């Protein structure tokens, strides 16, 4: 699904990612853990095609194709989804309208008809239930005045609607209370399938109690210093990052 | 600079979609302005003596005035002697029905997507089509007449209801109020007249489509709307103009009068030719629009969507004279390429418990300059007056400008004033968010801009709201990729 080879990137003169290797197969859940500032969001943004950071070496290959030449829209069409750490507000644009635009853009791209209003509504109602949101929610302006929890649920709602093959969740668990965390975890569990892959970025092992990862990677200062199974997350929870840094 | 902003700045080439010229025989006065020209116009229109005198008085006042220079606008000096002050499509015979209207004219409207006949049937909108200076056709008159409503061209009203014209003309915008209003008062060609009798709610939206189509001909519209006690009316004005190289002057005057418990809603979608991508040509639009809430509990609401003209100078205002009266101003002003807009409103509170609301949304793209200029005046006797103002600007690219000049003059301590203002760029983060969901750059910008304008679009009548959305998209075209 996704192969990242020796990826190096810089913002301005500063090197942020210093040779990342990552191999995500269909159906796998990978957790990327690391402290603030270690480069997790930069990695996520680069997969999605944001140009803040510049690739200086290495490659990102998705479904057998180098992503380098692809625009963010093309990557989205091909099934890459990023649940943003800080979802931006778009005042005056309600969720219904936004999601319709997004869904129909994708359908047009694949030569399908636009979705009719009734089907759309039926589908979104099902997904709303999964993330425990009321129907009235979709009339609100995108991320405007949303609580932290609402923002994250909305990201998961979009994931469920857009049906990506690779979902990157950038700290979707941060700042959530335990109920919201469980809801989000449930959304992920429901969405999981042998064809779909996840990269779950987090700096707490909390979410991983509910969604079991196949692999855990620990990112420190732009490098994956350790990879392992779910037990790595548990070790981290007990001993903290300093334990790894000391080694 | 990132790619997305780069692309945004390339959104500059855009053909004016409605740029075409209709080939209709015109009766045009040669350029120049003196008292004889005014006499000619007045005579052509068979006007009463008092109206001619009023025009001449205005003309004499105008001659002593100079063009205002305080606006944030730069344009070449206008030579008022180079302008022709009268043009009328030659009528071959009296028109009894739409079928008799010049087919070429109807074709023009069709190209604009405003087919009169369809509108007549589908929308139930009474259309007073002003083509250049003379009204060509008026529909739905009978239906309106059955309610006692008068909706006709201004010239017609001068003939059929001179007493109303005499009573109200210049009562809100005095003949020599300002340079352009004075010029209009001297030479105005035609326009619309509306009178809603006591207690009548106008059963349909009244709509007029204006169109400039004569080379080098100034357009001087005059509109007068009177809502008598307890009446209600919603008036729509929309216009587009054909592609031209020379600058065309447009100096309209609109006066609104709301009596006790009456309500006037005046909506405009303005899409005059804005000039080409190098800033050549385009309409100069100097408009004086003012309403008066003459008596208690009356309400006047201006809603405007301004996307056209090379230069816009326009401040629809409300004088809140009656106690408990309300004034509203909702505006979207979009400028692209080399367009300049200096627009806003004035709310003058004279009566007690008067309230005013101002919501202004400015969008600047290309190398354009977009200025909001608003004044709120609370006079000495206006106890418990309230104003809420919100002025937001959004910038697309780095070569345009947004400016906000709010003037506040409070002379009564009980006044409550609230003012909010924001200026922002269309964020790269917003665009990336959309891109990540599969929405293209161009659609993302259009989505964000339409969202930004939503509060104002929500105030437009249904059919206009759709048109406004379309207009924003057309105006933004070429600003992305
Ligand atoms: N737009 C930016 N400009 C400059 N530096 C940035 C920018 N975005 C991130 N960085 C820097 O890159 C490093 C990694 O940031 P980030 O990927 O956000 O880390 P994480 O998500 O792990 O907290 C940090 O040192 C941060 O300051
Ligand atoms: Mg981060």
């Amino acid at each position: 699904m996704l192969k990242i080879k020796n990826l190096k990137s810089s913002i301005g003169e500063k090197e942020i990612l210093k040779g990342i290797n990552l191999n995500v197969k269909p159906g796998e859940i990978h957790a990327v853990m690391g402290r603030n500032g270690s480069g997790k969001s930069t990695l996520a943004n680069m997969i999605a095609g944001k140009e803040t950071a510049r690739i200086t070496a290495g490659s990102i290959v998705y479904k057998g194709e180098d992503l380098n030449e692809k625009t963010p829209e093309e990557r989205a069409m091909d099934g890459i989804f990023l649940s943003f750490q800080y979802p931006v507000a778009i005042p005056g644009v309600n969720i219904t309208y936004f999601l319709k635009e997004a869904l129909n853009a994708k359908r047009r791209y694949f030569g399908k008809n636009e979705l009719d209003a009734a089907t759309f509504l039926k589908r979104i109602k099902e997904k709303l239930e999964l993330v425990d949101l009321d129907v009235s929610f979709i009339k609100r302006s995108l991320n405007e005045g949303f609580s932290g929890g609402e923002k994250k649920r909305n990201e998961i709602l979009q994931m469920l609607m857009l049906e990506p093959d690779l979902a990157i969740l950038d700290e979707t668990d941060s700042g959530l209370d335990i109920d919201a965390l469980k809801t989000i975890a449930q959304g992920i569990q429901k969405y999981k399938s042998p064809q779909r892959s996840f990269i779950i970025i987090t700096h707490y092992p909390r979410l991983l109690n509910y969604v079991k990862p196949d692999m855990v990677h620990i990112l420190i200062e732009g490098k994956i210093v350790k990879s392992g199974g779910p037990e790595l997350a548990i070790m981290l929870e007990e001993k903290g990052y300093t334990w790894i840094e000391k080694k | 600079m990132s790619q997305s902003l780069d692309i945004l700045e390339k959104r500059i080439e855009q053909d004016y979609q409605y740029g075409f010229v209709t080939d209709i025989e015109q009766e045009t006065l040669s350029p120049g302005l003196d008292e004889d020209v005014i006499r000619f116009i007045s005579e052509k229109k068979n006007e009463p003596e008092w109206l001619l005198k009023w025009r001449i008085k205005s003309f004499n006042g105008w001659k002593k005035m100079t063009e205002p220079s305080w606006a944030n606008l730069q344009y070449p000096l206008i030579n008022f002697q180079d302008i022709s002050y009268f043009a009328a499509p030659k009528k071959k015979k009296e028109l009894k029905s739409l079928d008799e209207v010049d087919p070429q004219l109807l074709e023009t409207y069709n190209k604009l997507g405003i087919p009169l006949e369809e509108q007549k049937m589908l929308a139930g909108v009474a259309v007073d089509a002003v083509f250049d200076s003379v009204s060509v056709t008026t529909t739905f008159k009978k239906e309106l007449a059955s309610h006692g409503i008068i909706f006709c061209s201004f010239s017609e009203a001068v003939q059929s209801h001179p007493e109303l014209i005499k009573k109200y003309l210049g009562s809100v915008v005095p003949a020599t109020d300002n340079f352009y209003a004075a010029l209009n008062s001297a030479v105005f060609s035609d326009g619309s007249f509306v009178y809603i009798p006591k207690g009548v709610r106008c059963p349909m939206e009244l709509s007029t489509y204006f169109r400039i189509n004569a080379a080098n001909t100034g357009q001087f519209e005059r509109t007068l709307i009177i809502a008598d006690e307890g009446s209600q009316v919603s008036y729509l004005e929309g216009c587009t103009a054909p592609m031209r190289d020379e600058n065309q002057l447009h100096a309209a005057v609109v006066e609104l009068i709301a009596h006790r418990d009456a309500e006037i809603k005046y909506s405009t979608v303005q899409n005059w030719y804005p000039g080409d991508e190098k800033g050549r040509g385009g309409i100069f639009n100097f408009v004086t629009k003012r309403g008066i809430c003459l008596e208690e509990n009356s309400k006047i609401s201006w809603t405007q969507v301004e996307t056209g003209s090379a230069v816009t100078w326009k401040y629809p205002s409300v004088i809140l004279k009656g106690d408990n009266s309300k004034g509203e101003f909702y505006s979207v002003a979009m400028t692209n390429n080399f367009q300049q807009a200096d627009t806003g409103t004035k709310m003058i509170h004279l009566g007690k418990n008067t309230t005013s609301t101002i919501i202004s949304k400015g969008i600047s793209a290309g190398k354009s300059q977009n200025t909001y200029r608003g004044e709120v005046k609370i006079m000495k006797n206006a106890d418990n007056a309230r104003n809420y103002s919100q002025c937001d600007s959004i910038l697309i690219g780095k070569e345009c400008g947004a400016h906000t000049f709010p003037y506040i003059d409070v002379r009564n301590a009980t006044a409550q004033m609230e003012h909010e203002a924001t200026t922002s760029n269309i964020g790269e983060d917003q665009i990336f968010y959309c891109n990540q969901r599969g929405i293209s750059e161009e659609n993302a910008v259009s989505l964000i801009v339409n969202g930004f304008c939503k509060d104002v679009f929500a105030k437009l009548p249904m059919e206009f709201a759709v048109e406004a959305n379309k207009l924003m998209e057309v105006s933004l075209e070429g600003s992305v990729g």
Side-chain angles (χ1 to χ4, degrees):
Chain A
M1 174 86 53
L2 183 77
K3 273 202 178 103
I4 299 179
K5 264 201 212 134
N6 188 34
L7 181 69
K8 292 186 182 172
S9 77
S10 301
I11 299 178
E13 291 302 299
K14 191 175 165 199
E15 183 163 67
I16 309 289
L17 299 182
K18 301 170 182 167
I20 302 279
N21 290 291
L22 194 63
N23 192 354
V24 182
K25 296 201 184 80
E28 284 185 351
I29 297 180
H30 286 238
V32 174
M33 304 182 68
R35 284 208 244 246
N36 277 337
S38 56
K40 303 183 297 296
S41 292
T42 304
L43 176 63
N45 285 333
M46 292 193 71
I47 300 170
K50 192 166 190 196
E51 293 182 353
T52 321
R54 182 169 41 85
I55 295 193
T56 53
S59 65
I60 308 174
V61 175
Y62 171 72
K63 292 183 179 170
E65 288 183 301
D66 196 319
L67 286 184
N68 201 19
E69 293 299 314
K70 295 207 168 187
T71 64
E73 302 96 284
E74 287 168 334
R75 299 179 199 207
M77 299 299 185
D78 289 343
I80 293 178
F81 179 90
L82 172 59
S83 164
F84 287 86
Q85 182 176 5
Y86 304 111
V88 63
I90 305 186
V93 176
N94 70 38
I95 294 177
T96 309
Y97 188 80
F98 180 78
L99 262 176
K100 254 192 205 157
E101 281 286 303
L103 259 178
N104 285 330
K106 199 163 176 177
R107 291 176 71 91
R108 280 194 301 271
Y109 183 79
F110 289 106
K112 286 196 223 165
N113 289 338
E114 297 197 351
L115 210 58
D116 66 272
T119 316
F120 175 83
L121 201 66
K122 184 170 166 281
R123 204 176 285 182
I124 201 163
K125 275 183 181 164
E126 287 167 17
K127 311 299 183 195
L128 279 163
E129 220 165 284
L130 281 178
V131 288
D132 199 18
L133 282 168
D134 192 75
V135 187
S136 62
F137 184 73
I138 58 173
K139 290 195 188 129
R140 292 176 62 183
S141 285
L142 193 67
N143 293 317
E144 201 181 24
F146 284 17
S147 70
E150 283 170 337
K151 280 186 189 165
K152 300 302 169 76
R153 282 169 209 242
N154 179 41
E155 294 293 292
I156 297 300
L157 173 72
Q158 292 183 47
M159 178 189 82
L160 296 173
M161 288 298 286
L162 294 170
E163 304 187 326
D165 300 317
L166 172 66
I168 305 158
L169 312 183
D170 190 359
E171 300 210 23
T172 303
D173 57 334
S174 299
L176 296 185
D177 61 38
I178 194 73
D179 288 336
L181 188 74
K182 279 184 183 164
T183 307
I184 298 272
Q186 187 191 320
I188 298 169
Q189 290 290 6
K190 280 259 159 63
Y191 191 68
K192 220 179 103 179
S193 88
Q195 287 78 43
R196 291 166 175 161
S197 313
F198 285 88
I199 295 175
I200 297 178
I201 292 171
T202 178
H203 57 204
Y204 307 108
R206 242 181 12 158
L207 178 65
L208 306 178
N209 296 334
Y210 301 96
V211 182
K212 198 163 158 269
D214 297 294
M215 291 280 284
V216 176
H217 310 275
I218 293 172
L219 190 67
I220 290 177
E221 286 174 20
K223 268 193 203 133
I224 290 178
V225 296
K226 199 164 175 64
S227 296
E231 72 284 351
L232 196 56
I234 296 162
M235 297 277 267
L236 208 61
E237 173 132 60
E238 286 166 2
K239 301 186 179 168
Y241 286 104
T242 34
W243 159 72
I244 298 207
E245 277 158 356
K246 270 183 202 143
K247 285 178 59 168
Chain B
M1 204 191 321
S2 87
Q3 193 188 348
S4 60
L5 273 181
D6 236 15
I7 289 168
L8 280 177
E9 291 197 340
K10 280 192 215 127
R11 302 177 85 221
I12 290 201
E13 308 101 53
Q14 185 222 332
D15 293 336
Y16 185 67
Q17 198 178 311
Y18 302 144
F20 48 85
V21 176
T22 312
D23 187 18
I24 290 184
E25 259 187 282
Q26 301 262 356
E27 182 182 337
T28 304
L29 204 61
S30 44
L33 182 56
D34 57 20
E35 212 174 290
D36 286 345
V37 167
I38 291 164
R39 286 178 189 280
F40 175 86
I41 296 169
S42 191
E43 197 183 326
K44 257 299 202 216
K45 295 176 165 295
N46 193 27
E47 287 176 353
E49 184 65 20
W50 66 264
L51 190 49
L52 172 64
K53 280 196 177 136
W54 192 77
R55 284 180 182 271
I56 290 174
K57 203 182 86 195
S58 308
F59 178 59
N60 289 331
W62 176 75
K63 282 193 290 191
K64 296 190 201 96
M65 301 168 90
T66 48
E67 276 187 82
S69 59
W70 43 261
N72 187 21
L73 301 169
Q74 287 177 338
Y75 53 92
L77 217 58
I78 299 164
N79 186 342
F80 292 92
Q81 296 303 332
D82 280 353
I83 294 169
S84 164
Y85 289 87
F86 188 82
K90 269 185 189 162
K91 273 193 248 177
K92 301 213 165 65
K93 55 183 172 178
E94 277 293 301
L95 300 171
K96 290 189 197 75
S97 79
L98 216 54
D99 309 335
E100 293 175 45
V101 174
D102 190 327
Q104 235 180 340
L105 177 57
L106 291 178
E107 175 71 39
T108 303
Y109 286 119
N110 281 324
K111 275 194 221 165
L112 287 166
I114 42 169
L116 275 180
E117 299 190 86
E118 234 180 28
Q119 238 170 27
K120 201 169 122 185
M121 291 184 301
L122 297 174
V125 175
V127 175
D128 173 22
V130 176
F131 183 77
D132 275 346
S133 315
V134 171
S135 291
V136 176
T137 181
T138 307
T139 55
F140 275 87
K141 245 183 181 165
K142 278 195 188 133
E143 151 100 49
L144 292 171
S146 73
H147 292 88
I149 294 167
I150 306 162
F151 176 40
C152 62
S153 75
F154 197 90
S155 324
E156 229 178 302
V158 169
Q159 303 303 322
S160 57
H161 299 88
E163 73 295 345
L164 287 174
I165 303 283
K166 198 169 180 183
K167 182 172 173 192
Y168 291 105
L169 180 69
S171 69
V172 191
V173 180
T176 50
D177 182 81
N178 67 69
F179 183 81
Y180 303 109
L183 179 64
N184 175 289
S185 301
V187 303
F188 69 87
S189 37
D190 210 335
S192 298
F193 177 80
V194 177
Y195 173 80
I196 315 286
K198 279 183 191 168
V200 171
R201 281 169 162 247
C202 187
M204 61 185 83
E205 316 261 4
L206 300 181
S207 146
T208 307
Y209 290 93
F210 297 93
R211 192 158 160 74
I212 294 180
N213 199 26
N216 230 4
T217 302
Q219 182 92 1
F220 304 96
E221 302 285 346
R222 189 90 201 184
T223 299
L224 180 56
I225 299 176
I226 302 140
D228 217 327
E229 280 181 34
S231 70
Q232 270 183 29
V233 62
S234 167
Y235 186 90
L236 322 184
E237 168 203 33
C239 52
T240 54
M243 180 97 82
R244 284 286 166 187
D245 274 333
E246 290 146 283
N247 293 312
Q248 290 180 302
L249 176 67
H250 184 76
V253 173
V254 177
E255 295 180 279
L256 310 181
I257 296 114
H259 285 279
R260 176 176 326 197
D261 299 317
E263 189 175 332
I264 302 174
K265 186 175 165 63
Y266 192 107
S267 314
T268 308
V269 170
Q270 187 270 116
N271 187 26
W272 301 107
Y273 177 53
D276 67 13
E277 74 287 347
K278 296 227 169 74
R280 287 176 306 216
I283 303 297
F284 289 7
N285 197 23
F286 300 95
V287 190
T288 306
K289 286 183 166 173
R290 193 177 303 156
I292 185 163
C293 290
L294 203 56
E295 295 166 304
E296 304 98 90
N297 301 317
S298 51
K299 180 176 171 186
I300 289 178
S301 177
W302 297 102
T303 305
Q304 60 172 29
V305 176
E306 302 274 324
T307 62
S309 297
V311 171
T312 301
W313 180 96
K314 182 180 175 189
Y315 317 90
S317 308
V318 184
I319 301 168
L320 298 144
K321 186 160 177 259
D323 292 347
N324 308 316
S325 59
K326 285 190 171 69
E328 296 174 340
F329 174 75
Y330 303 110
S331 168
V332 165
M334 149 109 210
T335 53
N336 198 353
N337 300 325
F338 287 87
Q339 280 178 277
Q340 305 173 65
D342 193 304
T343 183
T345 184
K346 267 194 227 173
M347 294 288 174
I348 318 281
H349 294 249
L350 302 172
K352 298 184 189 0
N353 307 313
T354 46
T355 57
S356 60
T357 306
I358 299 170
I359 295 181
S360 159
K361 305 276 179 177
I363 301 123
S364 339
K367 297 191 160 118
S368 68
Q369 296 296 328
N370 202 324
T371 302
Y372 169 81
R373 190 183 302 277
E375 181 172 22
V376 180
K377 232 181 197 162
I378 313 283
M379 304 307 274
K380 224 172 66 205
N381 295 324
D383 294 341
N384 303 313
R386 287 166 60 178
N387 165 264
Y388 173 76
S389 300
Q390 186 190 332
C391 307
D392 300 323
S393 308
I394 202 168
L395 300 163
I396 302 174
K398 290 196 168 130
E399 296 179 80
C400 51
H403 318 273
T404 304
F405 301 105
Y407 304 95
I408 293 168
D409 180 359
V410 178
R411 304 182 191 175
N412 182 313
T414 62
Q416 272 178 274
M417 315 288 285
E418 236 183 295
H419 182 89
E420 288 173 33
T422 63
T423 300
S424 54
N425 283 290
I426 285 197
E428 273 176 42
D429 285 349
Q430 288 175 318
I431 290 178
F432 182 67
Y433 191 95
C434 294
N435 288 164
Q436 209 300 304
R437 303 305 190 237
I439 299 167
S440 70
E441 201 102 38
E442 186 158 80
N443 289 343
V445 170
S446 162
L447 185 94
I448 294 163
V449 167
N450 271 312
F452 175 74
C453 301
K454 202 177 121 203
D455 293 348
V456 173
F457 287 170
K459 302 290 176 187
L460 287 171
M462 252 317 246
E463 59 264 53
F464 250 30
V466 175
E467 208 168 301
N469 264 295
K470 223 170 73 185
L471 200 57
M472 296 309 285
E473 265 160 44
V474 170
S475 306
L476 282 164
E477 251 169 45
S479 307
V480 158

